[in-house]
Amino acid sequence: MLKKLYIRNFALIDQLDMQFQPGFSVITGETGAGKSIILGAIGLLLGQRADMKVIKGTDKCVVEAHFDLSHYEDMDLFFEENDLEADLPDTIIRRELMPNGKSRAFVNDVPVGLAVLKELGDRLIDVHSQHQNLLLGKHDFQLSVVDVIARSQKEQQDYVQTYEAWRQARMALDELKEQLAQNRQAQDFMQFQFDELSAAKLVDGEQEELEARSDTMEHAEDIKQSLYQADNALSGEVSGIVGQLRTAAQALRSVERVFGDATELANRLDESYVELKDVAQEVSAKLEDIDFDPAELDAVNARLDRLYELEKKYRVQSVGELIVIRDDLGEKLSAIEGGDDLLNERSQEVERLLAQCKQKGAALTEKRRKGAKEIEQQMGQRLVALGMPHGRFQIDIALAEPSATGLDRVSFLFSANTSSALQPVSQVASGGEIARVMLALKAMVSGAVKLPTIIFDEIDTGVSGKIAEQMAQIMAEMGAQNRQVISITHLPQIAAKGSTHYKVFKEETQQGTTSHMVMLTPEERVAEIAQMLSGSNVTEAAIENAKTLLRI
């Protein structure tokens, strides 16, 4: 529950430091006194975006709240998932707004983002303002109420998992259909390209080999002349190097017996002779191989021209890239040929998942129908207590197309009397009736989700007298269930039911208008409620009436 609220430099508030009590509390004050300002400050703690215009003066604005979460052990998981220190007896949330436009948020003095702040805020406080009565006509709100009372979290999770799988499979099927349609439109052209590249009989590395062969044949005469000269120098009968080496080695061998150094020299010449003889034989062989053939050169150049033509046409730089294009075209053509089989396979998968989705959805619907019956039963009792003995409340659950929330479209139907037909609640209920219906629903929902703190901002709009007293009784009962309920009200019947009474008022000073909030003493409560009964001129009768309401 909310234990303490501290506000500094926010709108009309210079500084406010207020302690809050458990149970049912009320806040009163004249219109414009600053009640909405306090709610706005609390909204900052719930992760709402800040308007820097609310900063009063040049110093930073600070809103801080202390919560006692000792009775809410399920909060441990939230703190663990967000790497926050759990200090449940006194959890502190703080929001700071800087004059330069920057904003910071803290949980137990650890900086957090607004998303984390909002998630935590949604678990701590439910602020029900007047405009939220409009939610009563929204189908998603109605569905959420049914799910809370039905306790259908497991069925929802099972359904959503299957629904998401079906949705993904359906998207994949649609993409496949689109891709196949596009491919089939271009099938003839793709087939032509594939046939053209296949007919070229492409071989990776062929281009480089042909280019080298072409260069060789184009310079065949020069190559042959050079080889001839080399062959003559190596193997010529008169001055061939190989023969002369052989002669030199033999000359040295002839004097080995009388000249010791001749042996080593002769050996070295023999080694050179063997190497040069091998070179000479290879040169001679290549000389015989070199033969200029104009027809072969034309064939090589024609093949190269075809490769160059294809590379230019397909905007690539090598035969290897042409092969990649050819193979890709082949895969696409194969996919087109087998597209119907794949399409049928994917369609069957979508149908299978849809059947599972409907099966899970049916289980969710059954759980919701049971929850709806429970709501209808409780609402019948609560409407009687709220002064609508002939009121009827019914929940219609109609089958709808699969969506992220299930197969159901939920509608709250209402009639204030037995003579009128049941119709959507937002179309037939008056403002006071909607307020009472919402209060009854909130009482049920709060019991199911165990929210620590609930704030009702003038939920009593459109009611008075005994009905207001009955609404106050329901809020008091909610506050007695280990929960904190705070009602901002203009009605004395509701104000008198609070176990704690706070008053918001404005004060005019030389520095300007400021808003304040105080907790009233028993004597001050009598005066405040008497003023709410009779206006600015408080009469003795009003005071006595106030004491009666307070049971003093």
Side-chain angles (χ1 to χ4, degrees):
M1 72 168 197
L2 177 63
K3 295 195 304 181
K4 176 182 176 181
L5 179 64
Y6 175 79
I7 304 173
R8 189 177 79 226
N9 298 331
F10 182 81
L12 297 180
I13 299 175
D14 287 333
Q15 183 165 297
L16 183 149
D17 194 352
M18 183 58 58
Q19 304 289 329
F20 287 87
Q21 304 301 318
F24 178 43
S25 302
V26 295
I27 300 175
T28 61
E30 297 179 357
T31 301
K35 299 186 294 296
S36 61
I37 294 175
I38 294 172
L39 283 180
I42 292 175
L44 290 179
L45 297 176
L46 302 183
Q48 296 178 5
R49 296 207 171 273
D51 183 354
M52 297 305 164
K53 295 178 181 178
V54 301
I55 300 177
K56 185 174 185 180
T58 57
D59 198 3
K60 70 179 179 180
C61 165
V62 178
V63 181
E64 181 178 287
H66 293 238
F67 291 88
D68 180 3
L69 304 181
S70 56
H71 298 291
Y72 298 87
E73 297 178 357
D74 58 340
M75 295 296 296
D76 288 337
L77 181 60
F78 169 83
F79 286 94
E80 182 180 342
E81 290 176 345
N82 291 280
D83 295 326
L84 296 172
E85 182 178 351
D87 190 7
L88 299 186
D90 187 24
T91 297
I92 304 172
I93 301 177
R94 185 170 74 255
R95 186 86 180 270
E96 297 180 355
L97 308 181
M98 309 298 177
N100 62 6
K102 294 184 178 180
S103 170
R104 299 189 299 177
F106 303 86
V107 174
N108 292 334
D109 287 328
V110 177
V112 297
L114 287 186
V116 174
L117 192 68
K118 185 179 187 306
E119 183 181 354
L120 178 58
D122 289 342
R123 293 168 177 254
L124 299 181
I125 301 180
D126 176 25
V127 179
H128 181 89
S129 58
Q130 292 183 58
H131 78 272
Q132 281 193 305
N133 285 340
L134 299 175
L135 291 174
L136 198 54
K138 304 293 185 182
H139 292 288
D140 54 349
F141 170 77
Q142 297 173 1
L143 183 62
S144 67
V145 170
V146 172
D147 280 331
V148 168
I149 301 303
R151 299 170 180 83
S152 60
Q153 291 87 346
K154 181 181 182 303
E155 288 78 9
Q156 287 183 66
Q157 290 174 358
D158 290 345
Y159 168 81
V160 168
Q161 184 177 4
T162 306
Y163 169 80
E164 186 61 25
W166 170 69
R167 190 182 69 85
Q168 293 290 344
R170 190 177 59 176
M171 288 175 56
L173 176 61
D174 291 341
E175 290 175 0
L176 176 61
K177 288 179 179 178
E178 183 179 354
Q179 185 62 49
L180 286 175
Q182 292 176 355
N183 287 348
R184 281 170 177 155
Q185 288 179 353
Q187 183 176 8
D188 290 343
F189 182 61
M190 291 167 60
Q191 187 67 56
F192 167 78
Q193 290 182 311
F194 176 75
D195 291 343
E196 180 179 49
L197 292 174
S198 297
K201 300 186 184 304
L202 301 170
V203 178
D204 196 14
E206 177 190 15
Q207 179 178 330
E208 292 77 9
E209 183 180 339
L210 290 174
E211 287 173 340
R213 180 64 175 157
S214 176
D215 284 343
T216 298
M217 286 191 291
E218 286 180 353
H219 298 84
E221 291 299 325
D222 294 336
I223 296 172
K224 195 164 188 175
Q225 179 65 29
S226 297
L227 289 173
Y228 175 79
Q229 291 176 354
D231 180 63
N232 187 55
L234 290 168
S235 305
E237 294 182 1
V238 178
S239 60
I241 296 174
V242 175
Q244 291 183 13
L245 280 175
R246 185 65 176 167
T247 300
Q250 289 175 348
L252 290 173
R253 295 286 182 197
S254 66
V255 294
E256 282 181 317
R257 188 173 61 82
V258 295
F259 183 55
D261 292 341
T263 301
E264 180 184 357
L265 294 172
N267 289 339
R268 289 168 64 185
L269 285 174
D270 286 341
E271 291 175 0
S272 298
Y273 168 78
V274 171
E275 176 65 19
L276 285 176
K277 183 179 180 182
D278 183 64
V279 172
Q281 290 174 345
E282 189 170 344
V283 169
S284 179
K286 289 186 179 297
L287 178 61
E288 293 180 2
D289 290 340
I290 295 298
D291 188 18
F292 176 70
D293 184 352
E296 183 183 356
L297 178 60
D298 289 343
V300 168
N301 287 336
R303 178 61 174 169
L304 284 172
D305 288 343
R306 180 55 177 160
L307 295 179
Y308 295 151
E309 179 185 1
L310 290 173
E311 289 171 357
K312 181 178 181 181
K313 181 176 181 178
Y314 290 93
R315 299 180 180 179
V316 295
Q317 302 295 320
S318 68
V319 172
E321 292 174 283
L322 288 174
I323 293 173
V324 170
I325 294 174
R326 180 199 64 194
D327 294 345
D328 183 58
L329 287 168
E331 290 177 4
K332 289 181 177 179
L333 289 169
S334 296
I336 293 174
E337 292 176 2
D340 289 338
D341 292 338
L342 181 59
L343 199 61
N344 183 56
E345 180 182 330
R346 295 278 180 88
S347 297
Q348 290 179 357
E349 175 67 6
V350 169
E351 290 300 321
R352 184 185 67 82
L353 290 172
L354 177 58
Q356 287 187 5
C357 189
K358 290 181 177 180
Q359 181 183 11
K360 300 289 186 182
L364 177 57
T365 298
E366 181 62 25
K367 198 70 179 286
R368 285 169 172 170
R369 290 191 185 279
K370 292 179 180 178
K373 292 298 181 184
E374 182 181 345
I375 295 172
E376 290 173 350
Q377 182 180 0
Q378 289 195 41
M379 286 296 290
Q381 299 170 357
R382 292 178 185 276
L383 291 178
V384 171
L386 287 169
M388 291 186 285
H390 303 297
R392 291 178 294 155
F393 185 90
Q394 183 176 313
I395 300 177
D396 178 60
I397 300 180
L399 184 65
E401 290 297 317
S403 69
T405 58
L407 308 178
D408 311 307
R409 181 176 176 83
V410 171
S411 296
F412 286 179
L413 306 179
F414 175 78
S415 174
N417 50 68
T418 56
S419 61
S420 300
L422 288 164
Q423 295 185 51
V425 62
S426 60
Q427 298 179 16
V428 296
S430 65
E433 290 167 344
I434 285 180
R436 283 177 276 176
V437 171
M438 280 297 289
L439 178 60
L441 289 172
K442 284 281 184 177
M444 279 191 294
V445 171
S446 64
V449 300
K450 294 181 172 56
L451 277 169
T453 300
I454 302 174
I455 300 176
F456 291 107
D457 181 17
E458 300 183 5
I459 195 173
D460 48 38
T461 300
V463 301
S464 60
K466 185 179 179 180
I467 302 303
E469 187 175 352
Q470 291 169 330
M471 293 180 71
Q473 183 60 38
I474 289 178
M475 287 187 279
E477 291 172 359
M478 292 171 62
Q481 300 171 2
N482 197 27
R483 188 179 295 107
Q484 182 183 51
V485 178
I486 302 171
S487 176
I488 299 173
T489 182
H490 288 293
L491 297 181
Q493 293 87 351
I494 292 180
K497 287 288 185 180
S499 57
T500 309
H501 191 153
Y502 303 90
K503 180 178 180 179
V504 179
F505 61 94
K506 287 194 300 187
E507 181 181 25
E508 299 293 339
T509 66
Q510 292 181 348
Q511 288 75 31
T513 304
T514 57
S515 288
H516 303 274
M517 181 177 179
V518 295
M519 185 169 67
L520 300 181
T521 64
E523 293 78 13
E524 291 171 335
R525 289 195 72 183
V526 173
E528 173 68 7
I529 292 176
Q531 187 176 25
M532 294 173 71
L533 287 165
S534 64
S536 56
N537 296 321
V538 178
T539 64
E540 287 297 327
I543 292 176
E544 291 303 318
N545 196 1
K547 290 181 179 180
T548 300
L549 289 174
L550 290 166
R551 292 180 172 81
I552 296 177

